[in-house]
Structures are given as C-alpha cells and as structure tokens.
Amino acid sequence: MELKIFESADQAANFTAGEIGKLLRLSPKSCLGVATGRTMDAVYHHLCQINKNEKFDCSKVKAFALDEYIGLGRKDENSYRHYLDTHLFRPLGFDIKNTFLPDVHGEDLDIAGYEYEKLIREAGGVDLQILGIGLNGHIALNEPGSAHDSRTRVVALSQKTRESNSSLFRNAQVPLTAMTMGIGTILESRRILLLATGATKAEIILKLVQGDIRSHLPASALKLHKNALLVLDREAAALLG
Ligand code: GLP
C-alpha cells in the first residue's frame, strides 16, 4: 500500500477530489465507489469546485455506495442515501438511476446483499473505490473481526462506531445494524484510495501502517491490494516514524 502525506486535511481532501475528477474526466462511463463520513465532506466540496471549472459529464457515471443503515426511512436525512444525494450526486449531475446503495428496504436482506454484488459485477466492477476509516479500523461498516473475503451483508454496528457516528445524527439514534459491502467486495475494486485526516485517526493509522494484516483491523486487508493508496494529512500521520 502506497502512502502520501499532505500538510493539511484540506490538501489531502483536494488531492482525493482531484483523483476522482481525473477518472470522471477521462472515463465518463466509469464506475465509482463512494464513501460517507465527515472526512468526505471536504472531498465532495472540492470535487464540486473542480467540476465548476471543468464541467465533466457525470450523467453516465455509475456510483456504488459502501453501505447504508438499516431501519431508517427512504427519505431519512440521516441515511447515507440522503448524504450522497446532497453532497455528491445532485451537485455533480449524476443520473440518480445510476447511483446505488444497498437496498435495505426489502424483506429479504440476504438477497438484497447478493443483488448488490450482482449490480456491481454487471457494471463491470468498481474502477476507483474511495474509503474513509473508522476509529476502530473499520472500512465501510466492516467492523473488527470481519473476514477479508466477506461480501455485502447485514452487520451489527459496534458501540464505538455508533458513538462516533452519533454526532452526525439529527433527532434519531444511530441504528444497530447496517448493510455494507464486504472487504472481499472492496478488494475487487481496480484502485482503492483511503483518506484519513485529523489527530483522532493518528493511532489507528499507526496500527494500520506498522501492524500486520489481521481481521481485527479491517483496513489492514488493503495491504493485500496491488493498487491501494493511503492519503493522510500531517495530523493523521503524526505517530508514524
Ligand atoms: C462511517 C462510514 C465509513 C467511514 C467512517 C469514518 O462509519 N460508514 O465509511 O469511513 O464513518 O467516518 P469519519 O470520516 O466521519 O471519521
């Protein structure tokens, strides 16, 4: 896994947005894997700025979200659908028909997980997968202990993740479960870029960079990937030697 360190969180986010922008410009029919979380706010903000100047056409780009909470209504403002529609899909002019999240509203969620995998395969696989990282090392919502060959499925959220994500919730509790792409699903992406910024991520980044590959640290599976890049700001990289 390659490593790139920027002086500020804003520069790291701008670089990440630039990488997405390059893909959208060069391959208007590409397939993008998108993440949510506070770290992504600045990325999508920069991407919208880049788009203002360059005006790339996103109408044929396909986008697959990493995960979605279970138990929120289709239009709930706390859902990842709402986040991505607001921060990314609508501002950039994606065709909403080409934007996908795990379907958590049907009766059989096992089938929904299987169908999501099928949709990704039929789209030709993800060209560029953007990731953040949780304080406990989760990627998407693959919590510690998730198998490296796990697929899209229902997962229980850890207390740590629920606490950390609670500040993003308005008038509601963080759900107990979600549907997430598996680590195996993520590893099939052609290119992966994980962005971590801020001092709170320094400890988990140290464990990720210097530790072994193990299921207790889900992000460590990215070391198995041939084209994965870890993008950090100074604060997140602060404990690296
Ligand atoms: C959520 C998302 C993850 C994200 C993580 C970190 O749990 N499902 O994809 O990486 O939050 O979020 P933040 O960027 O807010 O620290």
Side-chain angles (χ1 to χ4, degrees), residues 61-221:
V61 175
K62 288 200 168 148
F64 288 89
L66 288 166
D67 39 22
E68 179 60 288
Y69 290 113
I70 295 174
L72 303 178
R74 281 182 196 277
K75 299 208 164 131
D76 194 306
E77 61 176 3
N78 297 305
S79 68
Y80 286 155
R81 164 54 84 182
H82 185 269
Y83 176 88
L84 288 167
D85 279 352
T86 314
H87 289 81
L88 182 65
F89 299 150
R90 280 203 218 103
L92 256 77
F94 278 73
D95 181 340
I96 292 299
K97 286 200 299 294
N98 292 334
T99 65
F100 304 92
L101 286 91
D103 180 7
V104 292
H105 302 289
E107 275 182 13
D108 191 328
L109 297 183
D110 288 340
I111 292 183
Y114 175 81
E115 291 293 334
Y116 200 58
E117 298 267 334
K118 195 163 153 238
L119 280 172
I120 296 171
R121 273 198 308 278
E122 285 169 358
V126 170
D127 293 304
L128 173 62
Q129 176 66 60
I130 303 299
L131 294 176
I133 186 170
L135 294 175
N136 60 4
H138 73 241
I139 47 173
L141 284 168
N142 292 283
E143 297 280 27
S146 300
H148 287 170
D149 60 357
S150 51
R151 312 301 309 188
T152 303
R153 69 203 185 289
V154 174
V155 289
L157 303 182
S158 69
Q159 191 54 28
K160 191 163 187 175
T161 297
R162 294 186 66 235
E163 273 166 23
S164 164
N165 291 1
S166 64
S167 65
L168 298 168
F169 268 68
R170 269 160 292 188
N171 308 320
Q173 299 281 322
V174 180
L176 295 167
T177 55
M179 193 182 294
T180 181
M181 275 191 203
I183 297 178
T185 322
I186 292 169
L187 289 178
E188 281 168 10
S189 312
R190 282 181 272 282
R191 185 177 178 219
I192 299 176
L193 194 157
L194 187 153
L195 172 66
T197 55
T200 58
K201 299 285 167 73
E203 213 170 296
I204 196 66
I205 290 301
L206 174 68
K207 289 185 185 153
L208 170 61
V209 172
Q210 296 189 351
D212 296 332
I213 299 172
R214 56 201 174 99
S215 67
H216 196 64
L217 206 174
S220 67

